[in-house]
């Protein structure tokens, strides 16, 4: 029996495993980097061990440090979560060699599925359909997909639509794969343009018995990373569903799989054919939707299998489905700026709902640049898919998420779109449209201006009151538009006067406005120059524009600014060279993704301020391009 469990991971997944361990009466141990020391998962654990440093390579990817932490804490088992060392066969072996219980599959199974190239060979032998890589790419094979053999999560993956670009894209994929997984091996296969990503949850006992817990549709992806997941998969013919389950069972049985795992498939709805993509030999990020529709705790099953509980697989297999579950991943990123990750203080994270929230952060948490940008998973369960969509939109719309730009509005836009509601989504959905939902709320800036004015008001004296009024007060906000938004208002003995609005209630945190007979309550949160306004219309983020601009903050024309904090991976041009619009000049890495900075115009690269390895802050001048005459 396991008595003390160390989770070799961080944030949301560590908290998730701790929750089940506590219910089972198992003590918990957290390991954490310096950047993560104040995150909730550390406080939630019964014990915690520091891993000095911040970079994953110095902390969560150090197998020796993690095992030593388990010994220091007196743990008798290790759960790897997902990512980091969760699919590292040598780590699994080292855990077992240290006399600890490894809550995962046998190291041999991890190795067999760890290489996508070898995994395809095993699956083909087991009768599972696979996509055959072209022997020598020709025009008829286009488009092609370059994929990292050792990893996942969209890293080391490139779509190639021109053979002229194949060599370049392979090199880029190899570099990203080597950085993310320590293995730059890639392979090429045909790219199914309008495919659906459907995966099957399995649990094996290591002796050939495999339980299947339905399937999930994870087709809504950006940069080949999942954003929305649901179970059961919509619009899936019963015959296809059964065939997918059987193929997944055969895949797991072929390697005597032990514990929880996921077999991923690419499904072509037009032909009703599917092909094996890969097997994740670990728990998946999206496992909660399976838990909710099947009434099972997958982490509990993982622990039971690791403890050798007899009959757990054969008695737990179920085909019964209860309702529909949908999960969305809330990321600290800006979809309108090519999904640039965001870092800084998450001043507020609150959900006014009883939905399942698996979060790695809380109000006041610092989101660093060292790890994935996912803040939380928001999961709902309802009797029907339509009811689940409606409820999830409501949960997202009423949430208070302040301090950082997130993909919340995009998630609301996706869920409300005709494409998603119809169930006919493919992996190409977000390549066509980013689905940004932004409710127009002219009252939000007005509420912000009033709340700011209330902070300066002296008791008993009308705010900004004048005996002779010759012009209104003006408050200007940055709202993402070029000109910003200006609110003109008057302070009178009878309160505020603003054209088009009646001010029913004015306060520093609560403002009630009425316009054309419709009364709306606004919650206003002010942190420095940032103002977050929440109402039934949704969320509006504003910044108060200063009356005067500091000349020291100005940059010279043509300056290329770092879009986010990160590390310079590569410099692709030299100072003094001629460049063309769109030409790649620098490559930055932040939050496990690489971002290319390109020339904004034709001209001369007059200045380069960084070299490979340089750490840069958001807004820092990386280079200067002088526009051609």
């Amino acid at each position: 029996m396991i008595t003390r469990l160390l989770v070799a991971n961080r944030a949301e997944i560590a908290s998730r495993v701790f929750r089940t361990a506590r219910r089972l009466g198992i003590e918990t141990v957290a390991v954490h980097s310096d950047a993560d020391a104040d995150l909730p998962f550390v406080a939630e654990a019964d014990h915690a061990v520091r891993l000095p440093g911040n970079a994953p390579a110095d902390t969560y990817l150090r197998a020796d440090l993690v095992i030593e932490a388990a010994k220091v804490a007196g743990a008798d088992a290790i759960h790897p979560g997902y990512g980091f060392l969760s699919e590292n066969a040598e780590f699994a072996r080292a855990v077992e060699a240290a006399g600890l219980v490894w809550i995962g599959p046998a190291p041999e199974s991890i190795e067999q599925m760890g290489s996508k190239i070898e995994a395809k060979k095993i699956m083909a032998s087991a009768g599972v359909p696979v996509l055959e890589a072209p022997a020598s790419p020709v025009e008829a094979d286009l488009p092609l997909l370059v994929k990292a053999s050792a990893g996942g999560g969209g890293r080391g993956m490139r779509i190639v639509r021109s053979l002229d670009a194949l060599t370049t894209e392979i090199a880029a994929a190899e570099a990203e794969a080597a950085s993310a997984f320590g293995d730059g091996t890639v392979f090429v296969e045909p790219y199914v343009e309008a495919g659906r990503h459907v995966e099957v949850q399995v649990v094996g006992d290591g002796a050939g018995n495999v339980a299947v817990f339905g399937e999930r549709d994870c087709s809504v992806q950006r940069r080949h990373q999942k954003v929305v997941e649901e179970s059961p998969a919509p619009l899936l013919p019963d015959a296809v569903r059964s065939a997918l389950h059987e193929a997944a069972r055969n895949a797991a049985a072929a390697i005597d799989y032990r514990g929880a795992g996921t077999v991923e498939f690419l499904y072509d709805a037009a032909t009703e054919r599917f092909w094996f993509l890969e097997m994740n030999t670990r728990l998946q990020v999206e496992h909660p939707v399976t838990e909710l529709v099947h009434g099972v705790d997958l982490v509990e099953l993982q622990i039971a299998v690791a403890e050798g509980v007899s009959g757990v697989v054969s008695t737990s297999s179920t085909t019964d489905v209860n309702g529909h579950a949908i999960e969305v991943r809330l990321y600290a990123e800006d979809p309108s700026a090519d999904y640039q990750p965001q870092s800084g203080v998450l001043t507020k994270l609150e959900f006014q709902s009883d939905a399942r929230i698996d979060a790695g952060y809380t109000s006041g948490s610092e989101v660093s640049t060292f790890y994935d940008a996912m803040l939380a998973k928001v999961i709902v369960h309802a009797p029907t898919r339509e009811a689940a969509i409606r409820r999830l939109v409501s949960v997202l719309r009423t949430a208070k998420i302040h301090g950082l730009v997130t993909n919340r509005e995009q998630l609301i836009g996706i869920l409300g779109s005709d494409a998603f509601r119809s169930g006919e989504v493919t992996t190409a959905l977000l390549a066509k449209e980013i689905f940004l939902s932004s409710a127009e709320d002219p009252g939000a800036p007005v509420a912000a201006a009033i709340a700011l004015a209330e902070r300066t008001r002296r008791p008993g004296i009308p705010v900004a009151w004048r005996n002779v009024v010759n012009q209104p007060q003006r408050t200007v906000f940055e709202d993402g538009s070029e000109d910003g938004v200006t609110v003109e208002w008057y302070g009178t003995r009878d309160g505020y006067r603003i054209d088009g609005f009646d001010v029913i209630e004015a306060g520093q945190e609560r403002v009630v406005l009425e316009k054309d007979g419709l009364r709306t309550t606004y919650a206003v949160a002010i942190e420095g120059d940032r103002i977050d306004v929440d109402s039934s219309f949704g969320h509006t983020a504003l910044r108060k524009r200063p009356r005067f601009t500091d000349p020291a903050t100005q940059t010279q024309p043509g300056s290329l600014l770092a879009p986010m904090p990160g590390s310079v991976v590569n410099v692709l041009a030299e100072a003094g060279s001629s460049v063309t619009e769109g030409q790649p000049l620098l490559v930055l890495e932040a939050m496990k993704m690489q971002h290319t900075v390109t020339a904004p115009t034709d001209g001369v690269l007059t200045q380069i301020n960084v070299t490979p390895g340089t750490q840069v802050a958001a807004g820092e001048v990386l280079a200067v391009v002088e526009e051609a005459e």
Side-chain angles (χ1 to χ4, degrees):
M1 295 289 289
I2 294 170
T3 59
R4 185 173 293 179
L5 171 66
L6 180 145
V7 178
N9 220 294
R10 61 180 296 276
E12 171 267 325
I13 184 55
S15 294
R16 161 68 191 93
V17 176
F18 291 159
R19 188 165 63 243
T20 292
R22 281 195 300 271
R23 182 172 59 79
L24 297 177
I26 299 173
E27 290 185 56
T28 56
V29 181
V31 289
H32 66 87
S33 66
D34 294 334
D36 285 346
D38 295 325
L39 289 189
F41 80 97
V42 179
E44 290 168 2
D46 295 310
H47 312 275
V49 180
R50 172 182 174 239
L51 303 178
N54 288 316
D58 299 329
T59 54
Y60 300 107
L61 288 174
R62 284 283 303 273
D64 57 335
L65 294 183
V66 172
I67 292 174
E68 181 61 29
K71 293 178 180 178
V72 168
D76 51 12
I78 290 182
H79 190 298
Y82 49 70
F84 295 131
L85 294 168
S86 63
E87 294 180 283
N88 186 305
E90 290 308 310
F91 177 56
R93 286 195 177 94
V95 169
E96 294 178 340
L100 303 169
V101 176
W102 167 249
I103 301 182
E108 293 74 22
S109 296
I110 298 175
E111 281 180 333
Q112 288 173 304
M113 295 294 104
S115 166
K116 293 184 178 65
I117 297 173
E118 294 304 313
K120 282 191 171 190
K121 295 177 182 177
I122 295 172
M123 293 301 104
S125 298
V128 180
V130 298
L131 277 172
E132 296 293 344
S136 56
V138 295
E139 292 292 343
D141 293 324
L142 294 173
L144 296 168
L145 186 63
V146 182
K147 296 177 69 173
S149 179
R155 289 173 291 278
M157 189 178 292
R158 296 288 192 281
I159 299 173
V160 180
R161 302 186 185 280
S162 167
L163 288 181
D164 292 339
L166 183 59
T167 301
T168 301
E169 295 294 2
I170 287 176
E174 288 174 338
E176 191 168 77
S179 174
F181 315 116
D183 183 348
T185 304
V186 301
F187 65 97
V188 179
E189 68 183 17
Y191 179 60
V192 179
E193 196 78 57
R196 285 174 58 184
H197 183 116
V198 181
E199 59 189 33
V200 180
Q201 177 69 57
V202 297
V203 177
D205 65 0
N209 298 312
V210 178
V212 174
F213 292 94
E215 79 292 330
R216 302 181 284 256
D217 189 299
C218 309
S219 299
V220 182
Q221 304 177 4
R222 57 98 172 98
R223 289 182 168 177
H224 310 292
Q225 290 184 313
K226 303 163 189 173
V227 178
V228 182
E229 302 110 340
E230 59 182 312
S231 182
L235 302 181
L236 199 62
D238 290 340
V240 173
R241 196 184 310 273
S242 297
L244 280 166
H245 293 182
E246 191 60 26
R249 192 189 305 273
N250 291 339
I255 57 172
D256 291 329
Y257 192 74
R258 183 186 74 203
T262 299
V263 186
E264 301 191 346
F265 297 94
L266 185 64
Y267 170 58
D268 183 359
T271 63
E272 296 188 0
R273 297 177 62 199
F274 61 84
W275 302 272
F276 171 83
L277 283 176
E278 62 180 316
M279 183 174 185
N280 294 128
T281 52
R282 55 173 169 79
L283 199 65
Q284 291 279 90
V285 178
E286 57 274 18
H287 75 275
V289 294
T290 295
E291 294 184 323
L292 291 175
V293 298
H294 287 279
V296 65
D297 185 327
L298 290 171
V299 174
E300 182 176 359
L301 284 181
Q302 285 184 297
I303 292 173
V305 170
E307 289 182 324
V309 178
S310 62
V312 65
V313 169
S314 59
T315 59
S316 299
S317 181
T318 176
T319 57
D320 294 335
V321 174
N322 175 26
H324 199 92
I326 307 176
E327 169 183 299
V328 294
R329 303 189 191 188
L330 182 68
Y331 284 105
E333 66 182 18
D334 186 354
S336 65
D338 196 27
Y339 299 99
Q340 288 178 4
Q342 310 291 302
S343 60
V345 177
L346 187 65
T347 55
K348 184 170 290 188
L349 183 66
E350 295 178 0
F351 294 90
Q352 312 298 322
S353 168
D354 60 352
R356 174 171 167 175
I357 310 296
D358 286 8
Y361 300 85
T362 189
S363 297
S365 293
E366 178 87 20
V367 180
S368 75
T369 62
F370 297 104
Y371 315 109
D372 187 272
M374 189 173 75
L375 301 176
K377 303 180 314 195
V378 184
I379 314 106
V380 299
H381 181 226
T384 66
R385 184 173 188 267
E386 293 74 18
I389 292 173
R390 181 169 59 192
R391 184 172 172 225
L392 184 50
V393 168
S394 176
V395 171
L396 291 170
R397 194 176 298 282
T398 58
K400 292 184 178 179
I401 308 167
H402 300 169
L404 296 176
V405 176
T406 72
N407 67 332
R408 187 246 302 264
E409 297 304 326
Q410 182 188 47
L411 295 173
I412 293 173
I414 292 170
L415 294 169
S417 68
D418 291 339
F420 185 81
R421 288 180 180 271
S422 72
E424 297 177 350
V425 296
T426 72
T427 55
L429 182 71
L430 293 186
K432 301 174 182 177
E433 184 179 349
I434 60 173
F435 295 97
L436 279 182
S437 168
S438 182
E440 291 295 329
D441 184 6
V446 174
I450 292 173
L452 284 170
E454 284 292 303
R455 298 185 89 189
T456 63
R457 189 157 96 110
R458 295 170 61 188
I461 300 177
V463 66
W465 183 76
R466 300 289 185 272
N467 281 319
V468 179
V469 179
N470 58 4
Q471 63 180 9
Q473 300 289 323
R474 290 184 176 86
T475 307
V476 184
F477 296 104
E478 305 285 357
D479 64 346
S481 63
E482 185 175 347
D483 298 326
V485 57
T486 300
V487 178
E488 295 188 343
W489 54 277
Y490 296 89
T492 72
R493 287 189 178 92
D494 299 323
Y496 294 90
R497 180 160 59 84
I498 302 173
D499 287 346
F501 290 91
D502 293 323
V503 182
I504 308 302
E505 181 181 329
Q508 296 182 27
E509 298 179 351
R510 173 185 162 94
V511 176
V512 181
L513 303 176
E514 188 171 290
K515 180 179 176 64
D516 299 330
L518 180 65
R519 187 169 295 189
T520 305
T521 299
Y522 294 88
V524 184
I526 302 172
E527 291 281 345
D529 63 347
R530 180 183 171 109
I531 304 97
D532 290 279
V533 184
D534 293 287
S535 74
S536 58
F537 288 97
H539 170 257
T540 302
L542 303 166
R543 287 191 181 276
K544 185 181 179 184
R545 181 182 291 175
R547 294 182 63 187
F548 306 102
T549 302
D550 183 355
T553 65
Q554 303 301 300
T555 57
Q556 66 187 96
S559 295
L560 301 184
L561 308 182
M564 79 288 288
S567 173
V568 177
V569 176
N570 205 354
V571 177
L572 305 173
E574 297 180 352
S577 62
S578 296
V579 297
T580 58
E581 181 179 350
Q583 177 181 335
L585 302 180
L586 301 154
V587 179
L588 291 179
E589 185 167 274
M591 292 181 168
K592 299 166 67 177
M593 297 294 289
Q594 292 192 352
H595 308 266
T596 301
V597 178
T598 62
T601 183
D602 294 348
V604 176
L605 184 62
T606 59
Q607 189 175 319
I608 285 280
N609 298 332
V610 294
T611 58
T614 302
Q615 295 289 326
V616 298
E620 187 172 331
V621 179
L622 305 173
V624 178
V625 174
E626 185 177 310
E627 187 173 3
E629 291 291 339

